[in-house]
Amino acid sequence: MVRFDPRGKANRALLVGVPEYDFKQPEHPFGVPGDLPAVEHNLAGLERALRAGGFFTRGGITVARPRTVDEFDRHLDTAVEEADGLLLLYFSGHGAVPSTGDELWMLMRRATIVPGTESVFRGAVPWKSVLTVLSRARAEQVVVILDCCYAGNASAAWDALGAAQRQRTSLLMGVQANNRVDAGDGDTPTPFTARLVRLLHDGLPGHGGEVGFGDLADGLRTHMSAHHVTLREPPEPWEPQSRAATSGADVLLAVPPARSPQAPPPRPPAEPSAAGGRRTSAQSAGAPGGARAPGGRGPGRRGDGRGRLGSGPLTGRRLAVAIGVPVVLAGLVVTGLTVLDEGDRAACRPPLELRLLTDPDLEPTLRKAADTYLASDANRTGDGCRRSGITVYSAGAAATAAAFQRQSDPWQRPTGDEDNPQRDIGPQPDIWIPASFASVNRARPSSAERAYAALEADPEPFAYSPVVLAVPQKPGARADDRVGSLAALTQALRKRETGAEVRRTDPENTDAGLLATMGLYGSGAPDPAGAEREVAQAGPPSRTGADLLCTLPDDDAADERTTALLPEFLLKTAVGCDSTTRARRIAEYPVDVPGLTPTFVRVRWLSADRDRTERDNAVEGFRAWLTGRDAAGKDAAGKTGAKPAASGSAAPGGLAVLGQDGFRSATSGHRLLGTGDFGALEDPGQLTDTVVPSEMTKALKGYRDANGPGRVLFLLDSSGSMGSLWEGPGGAPGIIGQSLAGLGDRDEYGVWGVASEPGSPRAYGEVLPFGRHPRKEAQAAVAASAQVKDLEADPYRALAAALEFMGQRGTDDHRPQLIVYLTDDEDNGRLTEGNRLADLLGSPQLKRTPVVMASLDSGGCDKGRPDAVLSEASGGRCLDTKSDLVARLRDEVARTGTGE
C-alpha cells in the first residue's frame, strides 16, 4: 500500500481535551455528569507519543483546554492555516447526541444541556461544523481522532463529505455509534487513548515500528473489542470505528526512534486496569447519591484488583463516569461498565481491508450492510478475530463503466493529469457492485483494448428494485391503476393533476437515472430531445434519487405536483433527509422501464497477486454473507439462485439489511425481502428486469446529444489573490483544463481571464477564443495563456458581459448554453455593492443561460452567499470545495457538451 510520509513537511497537531467542566450535576440542573480527570493524562501522554514519533516538532503540537466554542474555533482555525503536510485533530471530553437525532456534539468546558423535544447543547461544537472547517485546510492529509461517547456517530457526516474531502480525510472514532464508554479514573488515561498512546509509542509489530493509520485503527479495534465492553445494556464489545481516506494512501503517524538493545524503552503511560485497579468514580445516574457500585464500593473508593489489562482473571465490576452525555427525552443517563479480561486470548492480527465501489444510489445501503457484516460472527475467525474490513465508496455510474472499459491502465498506474481514475473515481476496488447487471458488460473492454482489471461477475443479481413513479398521494385521492406503460401512467397522472411534473435523476451519475431515461425515450425511433422537454426543469437533474426526494420539500407546491422517477427502495430510505413535512408518495410501476439489478463483481488487477489467496477468501466471505450465494451462484444447499424469503419472513445475512431498506428478491416474482408499508405494492405483477447493454449506451448518447452540441463560456478569475490557487492540475487553469473533457469537437467554448485595470473598458481578457477546438490543443492553450495578474477582478462586469455575449448566440436554435465562473470569491464585494447583484438577477438572459458558480472557498455556496443566489436564479449549480469541485464541474460541463 502507498503511504503518505509527512516527514519534512509543515505538520500540525491540535490536541483538544476538556478535563473539567464548569457546570455539573447535581449542583447545576443542566450540567454534565461530572469532570473527566483522565483526559489530562490523555493530553500529556499523546503529546509525548507524537513528539517521539518524529513528525511533529514541539511548536507543531498545540494542547488546548478550551472553555468556550470561540476558543476552540480559534485553535482550529490556526491549525488549519498553518498545516501544509499532515493535520491531526484529537478530541477527548464529553460527547453528546440529541434525543431526536444522531449528530455528534463536542462539549467545551462551559457547556450546558437543555433537554426537551429537541435537546440543545450550549457551549458545544457540532461535529459537522468541524468537518466544514477542516475541508478548507491546505494540508495534504487530515487525521481526526475522537475519544468520547458516541464517537461513532461522527461517521455519518464523514460519509456525506464530497469525494475530494474523503480522499484526504481519515477519521478514527473511539467507539461505535450510539454507545457510551468508560472514562477511566483520575490516575490513568482513558482506556482508548491509553492503548492509542502505547501503539504510537511502541510501534506496530511487523511494520518496522512504523505506525500507519490503517494498522493503528485495526490494532485498536482488535484490542478494545477483546478486552472492553461499552456502557450499553446488555453490554456490547467496545469496537472503535474508522474511516480511512479513500485516496488509497495510508497515512504514516509515527516512527518510534530506534533504541539500543541494552537500553530499555521509556515506560509509556499506564493503561487502566481490567478489574478495577486504581479508579476514582464520579457520581452517575446509574448510582444516584451515594449508591454503591456492585461489590460494595461507593464512588471515590478504590477497587481491590490492581492487575493490568490482560494480566489476570476478572475479579469484580465497577462504576465509572462516562465520556459522554446521553440525552434521552428530558433526562441524562450514565451507567456502569464491565471490563472483561481475556488475557489468555491470542492477539489478533490486523484484518485485511477490502475496497467496495458502487453506484451512488446504492452507497448508503451497502455501507450499512458492510458495517453490519464487520460486526457479525460471519466476519470472525474461530479465535474471534475479524477477517476483514471494508471501505465503501461510490462514483458516477457512467464514468465508472468508462474507466473499467478504457482506463484500467492509468487507474492502476496514473501517468498524467488527463486520465486519472484514482483521482476521478477513487482507489482500485476489490469489489464493484453496479446497480444494473447490464453495466458489467458495458464496462468490459473491447477485444482490442489491453485490460489491467478483470471483472468476474456473479452469474445473476442478488437483489432487485423496480424503477417507479413516486407519486404524491393527496388525502382522499387514490390511483386506481398503478401498473402500466410509462407513457400511459404519466398521461393519466397529468390528466388527474393539472400542472403535474415528472423528474428523473442524472443519467450520467446513476444507473437508475439512465434506466429511467431509456423508458422516457421509448423504443422504435426515439426522440431524445422531445423526451427531455417532457422532464425539463430549472437547472440540471439531481445527482441521486435521495437528492431529488430531499430537495422537493423545499417548495411545498413543487413537492405536491412533482412525480419522481426513481428506484422503489428510496421510498423507504430517502425519508430522513429533510426536516420539513413532505408529501406522502406511493409507487406506480411502469412495466417498460427496467429495474435495478445489483450485481456482485470481483475485480482483479494485473500483477496484484501478493495476498491473492487471503484477499479472495475475504471477498468470498463477504459475498456469501451479502448475497446468500457463492461465486458460482449457489446457496448453502448447493442450489443455484438465492432462495426467496417467504412473505413476511426475514431474509438471511446481507439480504436482511437490503430488506430493511426496501429491496426485493432477485428471483422470479421479486417478492419484498422485508416488511413495512412505504407506499409499495407487495406484488405489482410481472416487471422488467433485463436490459440490453447497448440500449443503455444508446440512451446515454441520446441524452448527451439531445439538444445538439453545446456552448460554454468559462470565466477564470485571474486576480492577484488567485496566485496560491494557480499551479498544478488542481490549480484554477488545471481545473478548467480537466472540465474540457466534457466537451466534444462539435461544441463551442472559450475562456476569459477576469482581471482588469481600474477604468478599463473590458473586465476580462481572452485566454481561449470562443469556437470549436480539438480538446488537447485547447487544454494546452489554456495552460500556456492563463496568467495571474496583479489586478482585481470585477465579477459584476464580467458576468454582465458574459450574459450579453451568450445572449447573442442561440437565438435561432435550442442548443444548451452554460457560463462557468471559477473564482476564490475574494472580489465578491464588487459583485454586491450598490444594486449590482439585483441588476444581474433581473437580467432576462440570466433566465436563459444557466450560470455555474465554482467557488474555491469552502463556504462559497452557503445559503445567502452571492454565488448561491446567482446560480440558483439562473438555474445553474453552485459548487464549492465542500464537495468534489473538480468532478462536479466536469459533470456540469458534460451535461451541456457532447464529450465524455
Side-chain angles (χ1 to χ4, degrees):
M1 176 182 289
V2 177
R3 272 193 166 169
F4 170 76
D5 190 334
R7 277 176 279 207
K9 303 179 186 291
N11 306 314
R12 294 292 182 269
L14 175 58
L15 312 184
V16 178
V18 189
E20 298 180 350
Y21 286 83
D22 289 350
F23 305 105
K24 298 181 285 290
Q25 293 187 334
E27 293 84 5
H28 195 290
F30 295 156
V32 302
D35 289 334
L36 301 169
V39 171
E40 198 65 58
H41 297 285
N42 289 354
L43 297 174
L46 187 54
E47 181 183 14
R48 287 195 298 270
L50 291 176
R51 193 175 301 137
F55 299 149
F56 297 96
T57 63
R58 183 179 295 272
I61 302 176
T62 299
V63 178
R65 301 167 184 83
R67 292 172 57 85
T68 65
V69 173
D70 286 344
E71 285 185 33
F72 172 85
D73 288 344
R74 285 195 295 272
H75 286 299
L76 183 61
D77 288 341
T78 300
V80 165
E81 290 166 4
E82 293 180 350
D84 286 327
L86 171 62
L87 172 58
L88 186 147
L89 170 64
Y90 167 87
F91 172 77
S92 182
H94 280 303
V97 171
S99 55
T100 56
D102 60 2
E103 181 181 356
L104 176 67
W105 291 69
M106 300 148 60
L107 275 59
M108 302 297 114
R109 177 167 176 163
R110 292 187 60 79
T112 57
I113 301 100
V114 182
T117 303
E118 178 96 20
S119 304
V120 175
F121 305 116
R122 293 175 173 169
V125 178
W127 163 243
K128 285 183 180 178
S129 73
V130 176
L131 273 184
T132 299
V133 175
L134 292 175
S135 70
R136 65 179 175 83
R138 298 193 308 271
E140 294 179 59
Q141 292 288 334
V142 177
V143 173
V144 182
I145 303 175
L146 303 176
D147 185 6
C148 60
C149 284
Y150 306 107
N153 288 65
S155 63
W158 185 95
D159 294 343
L161 286 174
Q165 277 64 52
R166 283 189 289 170
Q167 282 194 326
R168 65 172 184 143
T169 305
S170 300
L171 173 62
L172 178 55
M173 300 159 281
V175 69
Q176 62 266 41
N178 301 319
N179 272 266
R180 291 167 292 117
V181 291
D182 168 43
D185 58 28
D187 298 328
T188 60
T190 59
F192 173 79
T193 296
R195 193 64 186 177
L196 168 68
V197 169
R198 177 169 287 278
L199 292 177
L200 289 171
H201 182 277
D202 293 350
L204 294 169
H207 297 80
E210 293 185 346
V211 182
F213 178 86
D215 294 328
L216 176 65
D218 291 339
L220 284 165
R221 188 181 301 116
T222 298
H223 176 86
M224 297 300 293
S225 63
H227 294 278
H228 296 271
V229 296
T230 69
L231 296 177
R232 181 176 285 236
E233 288 296 336
E236 292 184 3
W238 185 338
E239 297 185 333
Q241 304 291 301
S242 63
R243 292 286 192 267
T246 60
S247 64
D250 194 26
V251 181
L252 201 58
L253 295 176
V255 179
R259 307 182 183 100
S260 66
Q262 292 79 21
R267 186 180 182 88
E271 293 188 41
S273 73
R278 301 180 62 192
R279 301 290 184 209
T280 302
S281 175
Q283 178 177 323
S284 73
R292 294 176 179 271
R297 299 180 185 89
R301 301 283 299 277
R302 290 183 177 179
D304 296 331
R306 295 180 177 272
R308 297 174 59 82
L309 280 175
S311 63
L314 181 69
T315 59
R317 296 171 61 92
R318 60 187 172 83
L319 288 177
V321 67
I323 316 179
V325 185
V327 181
V328 184
L329 297 179
L332 299 172
V333 179
V334 183
T335 58
L337 166 74
T338 302
V339 179
L340 302 179
D341 187 335
E342 300 186 30
D344 296 332
R345 182 168 170 177
C348 295
R349 57 177 297 195
L352 184 73
E353 189 70 18
L354 301 176
R355 297 178 185 144
L356 191 164
L357 171 63
T358 191
D359 184 280
D361 273 336
L362 300 184
E363 182 181 4
T365 294
L366 288 177
R367 189 181 297 281
K368 178 180 173 183
D371 288 344
T372 303
Y373 172 71
L374 294 183
S376 71
D377 290 340
N379 190 41
R380 294 190 182 275
T381 66
D383 295 329
C385 298
R386 285 180 182 268
R387 298 180 189 274
S388 63
I390 301 175
T391 298
V392 180
Y393 58 106
S394 67
T400 298
F404 276 124
Q405 185 185 51
R406 302 192 300 271
Q407 299 173 349
S408 60
D409 184 7
W411 200 342
Q412 188 173 37
R413 303 175 301 178
T415 56
D417 297 328
E418 184 173 354
D419 293 330
N420 189 346
Q422 285 196 15
R423 176 196 64 210
D424 302 334
I425 305 295
Q428 300 161 250
D430 301 291
I431 303 165
W432 176 40
I433 299 182
S436 173
F437 186 85
S439 287
V440 180
N441 287 326
R442 291 174 58 219
R444 296 192 190 280
S446 65
S447 57
E449 292 273 350
R450 184 180 180 187
Y452 290 79
L455 305 179
E456 299 177 359
D458 280 7
E460 56 188 25
F462 61 85
Y464 176 78
S465 186
V467 173
V468 301
L469 287 164
V471 181
Q473 179 75 348
K474 296 187 176 180
R478 70 182 186 87
D480 293 323
D481 190 356
R482 293 170 59 179
V483 182
S485 69
L486 180 60
L489 290 175
T490 54
Q491 184 179 14
L493 174 69
R494 290 185 169 113
K495 187 177 295 185
R496 291 196 307 266
E497 180 73 27
T498 303
E501 299 179 8
V502 176
R503 293 186 189 174
R504 58 91 164 88
T505 55
D506 182 0
E508 300 265 7
N509 200 55
T510 67
D511 278 343
L514 184 53
L515 295 172
T517 301
M518 290 176 60
L520 289 168
Y521 291 177
S523 57
D527 175 18
E532 288 299 322
R533 286 192 289 273
E534 291 292 312
V535 292
Q537 63 181 76
S542 299
R543 293 176 61 80
T544 67
D547 287 349
L548 176 54
L549 290 179
C550 287
T551 54
L552 286 175
D554 293 340
D555 182 336
D556 288 341
D559 193 24
E560 293 175 358
R561 70 170 181 267
T562 304
T563 291
L565 190 54
L566 41 70
E568 178 192 54
F569 78 90
L570 290 176
L571 290 176
K572 191 169 188 179
T573 61
V575 294
C577 50
D578 199 289
S579 59
T580 60
T581 301
R582 67 181 68 243
R584 172 176 167 78
R585 295 176 182 273
I586 61 170
E588 295 188 4
Y589 297 82
V591 296
D592 49 353
V593 178
L596 298 192
T597 48
T599 304
F600 195 102
V601 182
R602 170 72 164 106
V603 184
R604 297 189 187 278
W605 295 89
L606 186 67
S607 301
D609 299 325
R610 187 177 60 182
D611 56 2
R612 180 182 179 119
T613 300
E614 184 182 7
R615 195 164 294 274
D616 283 349
N617 290 338
V619 170
E620 185 55 39
F622 180 61
R623 181 209 311 270
W625 178 87
L626 178 67
T627 69
R629 304 191 302 259
D630 61 16
K634 296 181 178 180
D635 61 19
K639 297 180 179 179
T640 301
K643 181 180 179 180
S647 180
S649 67
L655 297 181
V657 179
L658 272 69
Q660 293 168 11
D661 279 11
F663 280 84
R664 294 175 178 268
S665 167
T667 58
S668 178
H670 299 310
R671 302 187 70 86
L672 287 166
L673 291 169
T675 58
D677 178 17
F678 57 99
L681 289 176
E682 182 159 337
D683 183 10
Q686 185 65 38
L687 299 174
T688 304
D689 58 2
T690 58
V691 58
V692 179
S694 61
E695 291 299 314
M696 293 181 74
T697 303
K698 180 180 177 182
L700 184 60
K701 186 177 187 305
Y703 171 72
R704 289 170 172 169
D705 296 343
N707 295 305
R711 302 184 182 96
V712 181
L713 179 60
F714 295 91
L715 307 185
L716 174 59
D717 186 344
S718 304
S719 61
S721 62
M722 291 286 288
S724 62
L725 304 169
W726 203 257
E727 300 300 328
I735 293 173
I736 295 289
Q738 290 182 55
S739 69
L740 297 184
L743 298 169
D745 293 341
R746 296 184 297 135
D747 298 311
E748 295 178 283
Y749 54 96
V751 182
W752 292 355
V754 180
S756 59
E757 297 277 1
S760 172
R762 290 202 318 181
Y764 62 90
E766 192 174 77
V767 174
L768 180 71
F770 193 87
R772 295 185 177 91
H773 306 276
R775 185 193 309 162
K776 290 190 176 181
E777 292 181 13
Q779 290 170 327
V782 171
S785 303
Q787 296 180 350
V788 174
K789 299 182 179 181
D790 189 17
L791 300 169
E792 291 187 354
D794 189 336
Y796 166 75
R797 292 177 60 212
L799 283 165
L803 288 168
E804 181 181 1
F805 179 87
M806 297 299 277
Q808 296 168 357
R809 284 146 185 82
T811 56
D812 57 351
D813 60 38
H814 296 284
R815 289 168 56 184
Q817 299 192 149
L818 184 70
I819 294 172
V820 175
Y821 187 26
L822 180 62
T823 176
D824 65 352
D825 287 341
E826 186 73 20
D827 295 310
N828 265 7
R830 304 185 72 182
L831 178 60
T832 57
E833 63 186 17
N835 293 321
R836 284 182 151 199
L837 183 59
D839 288 344
L840 284 177
L841 296 177
S843 167
Q845 186 57 36
L846 188 69
K847 309 301 181 184
R848 296 192 289 269
T849 305
V851 178
V852 170
M853 298 296 290
S855 171
L856 298 174
D857 175 6
S858 64
C861 294
D862 290 350
K863 190 175 181 62
R865 293 282 293 268
D867 293 353
V869 172
L870 188 61
S871 57
E872 182 178 1
S874 72
R877 273 217 173 96
C878 187
L879 310 175
D880 61 23
T881 56
K882 286 199 292 290
S883 63
D884 189 346
L885 184 145
V886 178
R888 297 285 295 276
L889 179 58
R890 187 170 56 249
D891 290 346
E892 295 303 315
V893 172
R895 291 189 185 95
T896 303
T898 59
E900 298 175 355

